[in-house]
Short mmCIF file of all heavy atoms in Angstrom, two decimals:
data_model
loop_
_atom_site.label_atom_id
_atom_site.label_comp_id
_atom_site.label_asym_id
_atom_site.label_seq_id
_atom_site.Cartn_x
_atom_site.Cartn_y
_atom_site.Cartn_z
N LEU A 1436 9.78 -65.66 -18.64
CA LEU A 1436 10.69 -65.62 -17.49
C LEU A 1436 9.94 -65.36 -16.19
O LEU A 1436 10.24 -65.96 -15.15
CB LEU A 1436 11.77 -64.56 -17.71
CG LEU A 1436 12.78 -64.88 -18.81
CD1 LEU A 1436 13.61 -63.64 -19.15
CD2 LEU A 1436 13.68 -66.04 -18.38
N VAL A 1437 8.94 -64.48 -16.24
CA VAL A 1437 8.12 -64.21 -15.06
C VAL A 1437 7.34 -65.47 -14.67
O VAL A 1437 7.27 -65.83 -13.49
CB VAL A 1437 7.17 -63.01 -15.30
CG1 VAL A 1437 6.12 -62.92 -14.20
CG2 VAL A 1437 7.97 -61.72 -15.38
N ALA A 1438 6.81 -66.18 -15.66
CA ALA A 1438 6.08 -67.42 -15.38
C ALA A 1438 6.98 -68.47 -14.73
O ALA A 1438 6.52 -69.31 -13.96
CB ALA A 1438 5.47 -67.98 -16.67
N ALA A 1439 8.29 -68.38 -15.02
CA ALA A 1439 9.26 -69.31 -14.43
C ALA A 1439 9.72 -68.85 -13.04
O ALA A 1439 10.56 -69.49 -12.42
CB ALA A 1439 10.47 -69.47 -15.35
N GLY A 1440 9.17 -67.73 -12.57
CA GLY A 1440 9.45 -67.29 -11.21
C GLY A 1440 10.47 -66.18 -11.06
O GLY A 1440 10.88 -65.86 -9.94
N HIS A 1441 10.87 -65.56 -12.15
CA HIS A 1441 11.87 -64.49 -12.10
C HIS A 1441 11.21 -63.12 -12.05
O HIS A 1441 10.14 -62.93 -12.61
CB HIS A 1441 12.79 -64.55 -13.32
CG HIS A 1441 13.54 -65.83 -13.43
ND1 HIS A 1441 14.63 -66.13 -12.65
CD2 HIS A 1441 13.33 -66.92 -14.22
CE1 HIS A 1441 15.07 -67.33 -12.95
NE2 HIS A 1441 14.29 -67.84 -13.90
N GLU A 1442 11.89 -62.18 -11.42
CA GLU A 1442 11.48 -60.78 -11.52
C GLU A 1442 12.28 -60.20 -12.67
O GLU A 1442 13.51 -60.25 -12.67
CB GLU A 1442 11.77 -60.03 -10.23
CG GLU A 1442 11.22 -58.63 -10.26
CD GLU A 1442 11.30 -57.93 -8.93
OE1 GLU A 1442 11.38 -58.61 -7.89
OE2 GLU A 1442 11.30 -56.69 -8.93
N VAL A 1443 11.59 -59.65 -13.66
CA VAL A 1443 12.23 -59.23 -14.90
C VAL A 1443 11.90 -57.77 -15.19
O VAL A 1443 10.73 -57.37 -15.21
CB VAL A 1443 11.76 -60.11 -16.09
CG1 VAL A 1443 12.47 -59.71 -17.36
CG2 VAL A 1443 11.99 -61.59 -15.78
N TRP A 1444 12.96 -56.98 -15.45
CA TRP A 1444 12.79 -55.57 -15.76
C TRP A 1444 13.05 -55.32 -17.24
O TRP A 1444 13.95 -55.90 -17.84
CB TRP A 1444 13.79 -54.73 -14.96
CG TRP A 1444 13.62 -53.26 -15.20
CD1 TRP A 1444 12.77 -52.42 -14.53
CD2 TRP A 1444 14.28 -52.47 -16.17
NE1 TRP A 1444 12.87 -51.16 -15.04
CE2 TRP A 1444 13.80 -51.15 -16.06
CE3 TRP A 1444 15.24 -52.73 -17.14
CZ2 TRP A 1444 14.23 -50.11 -16.86
CZ3 TRP A 1444 15.67 -51.71 -17.96
CH2 TRP A 1444 15.17 -50.41 -17.81
N MET A 1445 12.23 -54.46 -17.82
CA MET A 1445 12.50 -53.91 -19.14
C MET A 1445 11.96 -52.48 -19.14
O MET A 1445 11.12 -52.14 -18.30
CB MET A 1445 11.92 -54.76 -20.27
CG MET A 1445 10.46 -55.09 -20.18
SD MET A 1445 9.92 -56.35 -21.36
CE MET A 1445 9.91 -55.44 -22.89
N ASP A 1446 12.47 -51.64 -20.02
CA ASP A 1446 12.16 -50.21 -19.92
C ASP A 1446 10.74 -49.83 -20.27
O ASP A 1446 10.29 -48.76 -19.93
CB ASP A 1446 13.16 -49.37 -20.72
CG ASP A 1446 13.05 -49.57 -22.23
OD1 ASP A 1446 12.39 -50.54 -22.66
OD2 ASP A 1446 13.65 -48.78 -22.97
N ASP A 1447 10.01 -50.69 -20.92
CA ASP A 1447 8.61 -50.44 -21.24
C ASP A 1447 7.78 -51.57 -20.66
O ASP A 1447 7.95 -52.73 -21.04
CB ASP A 1447 8.43 -50.37 -22.76
CG ASP A 1447 7.02 -50.02 -23.16
OD1 ASP A 1447 6.10 -50.01 -22.32
OD2 ASP A 1447 6.81 -49.74 -24.36
N PRO A 1448 6.88 -51.26 -19.74
CA PRO A 1448 6.13 -52.33 -19.09
C PRO A 1448 5.15 -53.06 -19.99
O PRO A 1448 4.70 -54.15 -19.65
CB PRO A 1448 5.39 -51.62 -17.96
CG PRO A 1448 5.29 -50.22 -18.41
CD PRO A 1448 6.52 -49.95 -19.25
N GLY A 1449 4.84 -52.50 -21.15
CA GLY A 1449 3.86 -53.16 -22.02
C GLY A 1449 2.58 -53.40 -21.26
O GLY A 1449 2.08 -52.51 -20.59
N ASN A 1450 2.07 -54.58 -21.33
CA ASN A 1450 0.87 -54.96 -20.58
C ASN A 1450 1.28 -55.68 -19.31
O ASN A 1450 1.10 -56.88 -19.19
CB ASN A 1450 -0.04 -55.85 -21.44
CG ASN A 1450 -0.55 -55.13 -22.66
OD1 ASN A 1450 -0.87 -53.96 -22.59
ND2 ASN A 1450 -0.58 -55.81 -23.78
N ASP A 1451 1.85 -54.94 -18.36
CA ASP A 1451 2.35 -55.55 -17.13
C ASP A 1451 1.19 -55.93 -16.23
O ASP A 1451 0.64 -55.09 -15.54
CB ASP A 1451 3.31 -54.62 -16.41
CG ASP A 1451 3.88 -55.26 -15.16
OD1 ASP A 1451 4.10 -56.49 -15.19
OD2 ASP A 1451 4.09 -54.56 -14.17
N ASP A 1452 0.85 -57.19 -16.25
CA ASP A 1452 -0.25 -57.66 -15.41
C ASP A 1452 0.26 -58.50 -14.24
O ASP A 1452 -0.52 -59.14 -13.56
CB ASP A 1452 -1.26 -58.44 -16.24
CG ASP A 1452 -0.66 -59.63 -16.95
OD1 ASP A 1452 0.57 -59.84 -16.85
OD2 ASP A 1452 -1.41 -60.35 -17.62
N VAL A 1453 1.56 -58.48 -14.00
CA VAL A 1453 2.11 -59.27 -12.89
C VAL A 1453 2.56 -58.39 -11.74
O VAL A 1453 3.03 -58.89 -10.73
CB VAL A 1453 3.26 -60.19 -13.35
CG1 VAL A 1453 2.75 -61.23 -14.33
CG2 VAL A 1453 4.40 -59.39 -13.94
N GLY A 1454 2.42 -57.07 -11.88
CA GLY A 1454 2.69 -56.16 -10.78
C GLY A 1454 4.16 -55.96 -10.44
O GLY A 1454 4.48 -55.52 -9.35
N GLN A 1455 5.06 -56.28 -11.35
CA GLN A 1455 6.47 -56.05 -11.09
C GLN A 1455 6.81 -54.59 -11.42
O GLN A 1455 6.16 -53.96 -12.24
CB GLN A 1455 7.33 -57.01 -11.89
CG GLN A 1455 7.17 -58.44 -11.44
CD GLN A 1455 8.13 -59.40 -12.14
OE1 GLN A 1455 8.90 -59.02 -12.99
NE2 GLN A 1455 8.06 -60.65 -11.75
N ASP A 1456 7.85 -54.07 -10.79
CA ASP A 1456 8.28 -52.70 -11.00
C ASP A 1456 9.11 -52.62 -12.27
O ASP A 1456 10.30 -52.92 -12.27
CB ASP A 1456 9.11 -52.25 -9.79
CG ASP A 1456 9.50 -50.80 -9.86
OD1 ASP A 1456 8.85 -50.04 -10.60
OD2 ASP A 1456 10.45 -50.42 -9.16
N VAL A 1457 8.47 -52.25 -13.37
CA VAL A 1457 9.15 -52.15 -14.66
C VAL A 1457 8.89 -50.79 -15.26
O VAL A 1457 8.01 -50.06 -14.83
CB VAL A 1457 8.70 -53.25 -15.65
CG1 VAL A 1457 9.10 -54.63 -15.16
CG2 VAL A 1457 7.20 -53.19 -15.89
N GLY A 1458 9.66 -50.46 -16.27
CA GLY A 1458 9.46 -49.21 -16.97
C GLY A 1458 10.34 -48.10 -16.42
O GLY A 1458 11.09 -48.27 -15.46
N ILE A 1459 10.25 -46.95 -17.06
CA ILE A 1459 10.98 -45.75 -16.65
C ILE A 1459 9.97 -44.85 -15.94
O ILE A 1459 9.01 -44.39 -16.56
CB ILE A 1459 11.58 -45.01 -17.87
CG1 ILE A 1459 12.44 -45.94 -18.73
CG2 ILE A 1459 12.35 -43.77 -17.42
CD1 ILE A 1459 13.72 -46.41 -18.10
N PRO A 1460 10.17 -44.58 -14.66
CA PRO A 1460 9.22 -43.71 -13.95
C PRO A 1460 9.18 -42.31 -14.56
O PRO A 1460 10.20 -41.80 -15.02
CB PRO A 1460 9.78 -43.66 -12.52
CG PRO A 1460 10.64 -44.88 -12.39
CD PRO A 1460 11.19 -45.12 -13.77
N VAL A 1461 8.03 -41.70 -14.54
CA VAL A 1461 7.86 -40.35 -15.06
C VAL A 1461 8.81 -39.42 -14.31
O VAL A 1461 8.94 -39.48 -13.09
CB VAL A 1461 6.40 -39.89 -14.88
CG1 VAL A 1461 6.24 -38.42 -15.27
CG2 VAL A 1461 5.47 -40.77 -15.68
N GLY A 1462 9.51 -38.59 -15.08
CA GLY A 1462 10.42 -37.62 -14.49
C GLY A 1462 11.83 -38.13 -14.25
O GLY A 1462 12.70 -37.38 -13.83
N ARG A 1463 12.08 -39.39 -14.51
CA ARG A 1463 13.41 -39.96 -14.31
C ARG A 1463 14.16 -39.98 -15.63
O ARG A 1463 13.57 -40.18 -16.69
CB ARG A 1463 13.31 -41.39 -13.78
CG ARG A 1463 12.70 -41.52 -12.40
CD ARG A 1463 13.58 -40.96 -11.29
NE ARG A 1463 14.91 -41.51 -11.25
CZ ARG A 1463 15.24 -42.63 -10.62
NH1 ARG A 1463 14.35 -43.34 -9.98
NH2 ARG A 1463 16.49 -43.05 -10.63
N GLU A 1464 15.47 -39.78 -15.57
CA GLU A 1464 16.31 -39.81 -16.76
C GLU A 1464 16.45 -41.26 -17.23
O GLU A 1464 16.81 -42.14 -16.45
CB GLU A 1464 17.67 -39.18 -16.43
CG GLU A 1464 18.46 -38.75 -17.63
CD GLU A 1464 19.27 -39.89 -18.24
OE1 GLU A 1464 19.86 -40.66 -17.49
OE2 GLU A 1464 19.28 -40.01 -19.48
N HIS A 1465 16.13 -41.49 -18.49
CA HIS A 1465 16.06 -42.83 -19.07
C HIS A 1465 17.34 -43.63 -18.83
O HIS A 1465 17.30 -44.75 -18.32
CB HIS A 1465 15.77 -42.67 -20.57
CG HIS A 1465 15.26 -43.89 -21.23
ND1 HIS A 1465 16.01 -44.60 -22.12
CD2 HIS A 1465 14.08 -44.54 -21.14
CE1 HIS A 1465 15.30 -45.63 -22.56
NE2 HIS A 1465 14.14 -45.61 -21.98
N TRP A 1466 18.49 -43.09 -19.22
CA TRP A 1466 19.74 -43.83 -19.13
C TRP A 1466 20.11 -44.12 -17.67
O TRP A 1466 20.65 -45.17 -17.35
CB TRP A 1466 20.84 -43.09 -19.86
CG TRP A 1466 22.16 -43.80 -19.83
CD1 TRP A 1466 23.32 -43.35 -19.30
CD2 TRP A 1466 22.45 -45.12 -20.31
NE1 TRP A 1466 24.31 -44.29 -19.43
CE2 TRP A 1466 23.80 -45.39 -20.05
CE3 TRP A 1466 21.69 -46.10 -20.95
CZ2 TRP A 1466 24.41 -46.58 -20.39
CZ3 TRP A 1466 22.32 -47.29 -21.29
CH2 TRP A 1466 23.65 -47.53 -21.02
N GLU A 1467 19.82 -43.20 -16.77
CA GLU A 1467 20.10 -43.40 -15.34
C GLU A 1467 19.37 -44.64 -14.82
O GLU A 1467 19.94 -45.46 -14.11
CB GLU A 1467 19.67 -42.17 -14.56
CG GLU A 1467 19.71 -42.30 -13.07
CD GLU A 1467 19.05 -41.13 -12.37
OE1 GLU A 1467 19.30 -39.97 -12.77
OE2 GLU A 1467 18.26 -41.37 -11.44
N VAL A 1468 18.11 -44.78 -15.19
CA VAL A 1468 17.32 -45.92 -14.74
C VAL A 1468 17.84 -47.21 -15.36
O VAL A 1468 18.01 -48.23 -14.68
CB VAL A 1468 15.82 -45.72 -15.07
CG1 VAL A 1468 15.01 -46.97 -14.71
CG2 VAL A 1468 15.28 -44.50 -14.34
N ILE A 1469 18.13 -47.20 -16.65
CA ILE A 1469 18.65 -48.40 -17.33
C ILE A 1469 19.96 -48.84 -16.70
O ILE A 1469 20.15 -50.02 -16.39
CB ILE A 1469 18.81 -48.14 -18.85
CG1 ILE A 1469 17.44 -48.03 -19.50
CG2 ILE A 1469 19.63 -49.26 -19.50
CD1 ILE A 1469 17.48 -47.58 -20.94
N ARG A 1470 20.87 -47.91 -16.49
CA ARG A 1470 22.16 -48.26 -15.86
C ARG A 1470 21.96 -48.89 -14.49
O ARG A 1470 22.59 -49.89 -14.17
CB ARG A 1470 23.05 -47.03 -15.74
CG ARG A 1470 23.71 -46.67 -17.03
CD ARG A 1470 24.69 -45.54 -16.92
NE ARG A 1470 25.23 -45.40 -15.57
CZ ARG A 1470 25.93 -44.39 -15.15
NH1 ARG A 1470 26.18 -43.40 -15.96
NH2 ARG A 1470 26.39 -44.32 -13.93
N ARG A 1471 21.08 -48.32 -13.68
CA ARG A 1471 20.83 -48.87 -12.35
C ARG A 1471 20.26 -50.29 -12.45
O ARG A 1471 20.71 -51.20 -11.75
CB ARG A 1471 19.87 -47.97 -11.57
CG ARG A 1471 19.65 -48.48 -10.13
CD ARG A 1471 18.52 -47.78 -9.41
NE ARG A 1471 17.27 -48.26 -9.96
CZ ARG A 1471 16.26 -47.48 -10.31
NH1 ARG A 1471 16.34 -46.18 -10.20
NH2 ARG A 1471 15.15 -48.00 -10.79
N GLU A 1472 19.29 -50.48 -13.32
CA GLU A 1472 18.66 -51.80 -13.45
C GLU A 1472 19.64 -52.83 -13.99
O GLU A 1472 19.68 -53.96 -13.51
CB GLU A 1472 17.41 -51.72 -14.32
CG GLU A 1472 16.29 -50.91 -13.72
CD GLU A 1472 15.72 -51.49 -12.43
OE1 GLU A 1472 15.82 -52.72 -12.19
OE2 GLU A 1472 15.15 -50.71 -11.64
N PHE A 1473 20.44 -52.47 -14.98
CA PHE A 1473 21.43 -53.40 -15.54
C PHE A 1473 22.50 -53.72 -14.51
O PHE A 1473 22.95 -54.86 -14.41
CB PHE A 1473 22.07 -52.83 -16.80
CG PHE A 1473 21.21 -52.92 -18.04
CD1 PHE A 1473 19.86 -53.18 -17.99
CD2 PHE A 1473 21.78 -52.74 -19.28
CE1 PHE A 1473 19.09 -53.25 -19.13
CE2 PHE A 1473 21.03 -52.83 -20.44
CZ PHE A 1473 19.68 -53.08 -20.37
N ALA A 1474 22.93 -52.73 -13.76
CA ALA A 1474 24.01 -52.94 -12.77
C ALA A 1474 23.57 -53.82 -11.61
O ALA A 1474 24.39 -54.53 -11.03
CB ALA A 1474 24.50 -51.59 -12.24
N THR A 1475 22.30 -53.81 -11.27
CA THR A 1475 21.84 -54.58 -10.12
C THR A 1475 21.21 -55.93 -10.48
O THR A 1475 21.00 -56.76 -9.61
CB THR A 1475 20.83 -53.76 -9.28
OG1 THR A 1475 19.73 -53.39 -10.10
CG2 THR A 1475 21.50 -52.52 -8.70
N ALA A 1476 20.93 -56.13 -11.76
CA ALA A 1476 20.36 -57.42 -12.19
C ALA A 1476 21.43 -58.51 -12.10
O ALA A 1476 22.62 -58.24 -12.28
CB ALA A 1476 19.84 -57.32 -13.63
N HIS A 1477 20.99 -59.72 -11.86
CA HIS A 1477 21.92 -60.85 -11.86
C HIS A 1477 22.30 -61.23 -13.29
O HIS A 1477 23.36 -61.80 -13.53
CB HIS A 1477 21.31 -62.06 -11.16
CG HIS A 1477 21.02 -61.82 -9.72
ND1 HIS A 1477 22.00 -61.70 -8.77
CD2 HIS A 1477 19.84 -61.64 -9.07
CE1 HIS A 1477 21.45 -61.47 -7.60
NE2 HIS A 1477 20.14 -61.42 -7.75
N LEU A 1478 21.40 -60.93 -14.23
CA LEU A 1478 21.60 -61.31 -15.63
C LEU A 1478 20.96 -60.24 -16.51
O LEU A 1478 19.84 -59.80 -16.22
CB LEU A 1478 20.95 -62.67 -15.91
CG LEU A 1478 20.94 -63.19 -17.33
CD1 LEU A 1478 22.36 -63.53 -17.79
CD2 LEU A 1478 20.05 -64.42 -17.44
N VAL A 1479 21.66 -59.83 -17.56
CA VAL A 1479 21.08 -58.94 -18.57
C VAL A 1479 21.03 -59.72 -19.87
O VAL A 1479 22.03 -60.26 -20.33
CB VAL A 1479 21.92 -57.65 -18.77
CG1 VAL A 1479 21.33 -56.80 -19.89
CG2 VAL A 1479 21.99 -56.87 -17.46
N ILE A 1480 19.84 -59.79 -20.45
CA ILE A 1480 19.65 -60.52 -21.70
C ILE A 1480 19.45 -59.50 -22.82
O ILE A 1480 18.60 -58.62 -22.71
CB ILE A 1480 18.42 -61.44 -21.63
CG1 ILE A 1480 18.62 -62.51 -20.57
CG2 ILE A 1480 18.13 -62.06 -23.01
CD1 ILE A 1480 17.38 -63.36 -20.31
N GLY A 1481 20.22 -59.63 -23.88
CA GLY A 1481 20.04 -58.81 -25.08
C GLY A 1481 19.27 -59.60 -26.11
O GLY A 1481 19.68 -60.71 -26.46
N VAL A 1482 18.15 -59.05 -26.56
CA VAL A 1482 17.38 -59.68 -27.63
C VAL A 1482 18.07 -59.27 -28.92
O VAL A 1482 17.78 -58.25 -29.52
CB VAL A 1482 15.90 -59.24 -27.58
CG1 VAL A 1482 15.11 -59.91 -28.70
CG2 VAL A 1482 15.29 -59.57 -26.22
#
């Protein structure tokens, strides 16, 4: 999806070599971040 030009968020950045803001920042409540990201995304994909 990133290669196709999208900015894509997931809770674990893995090997994020494209410099997008992904993951759960240290000190932030996990569910709070997920809710914010899901609520503001144009599309949420469930694997």
Side-chain angles (χ1 to χ4, degrees):
L1436 291 167
V1437 168
H1441 299 284
E1442 186 171 338
V1443 183
W1444 182 87
M1445 53 191 286
D1446 67 347
D1447 184 349
N1450 297 321
D1451 182 34
D1452 58 358
V1453 295
Q1455 293 186 358
D1456 185 21
V1457 295
I1459 306 292
V1461 173
R1463 295 291 305 275
E1464 198 275 318
H1465 198 250
W1466 181 241
E1467 172 190 315
V1468 175
I1469 290 171
R1470 281 186 24 191
R1471 184 191 74 226
E1472 294 296 336
F1473 282 16
T1475 58
H1477 297 289
L1478 175 68
V1479 176
I1480 297 173
V1482 180

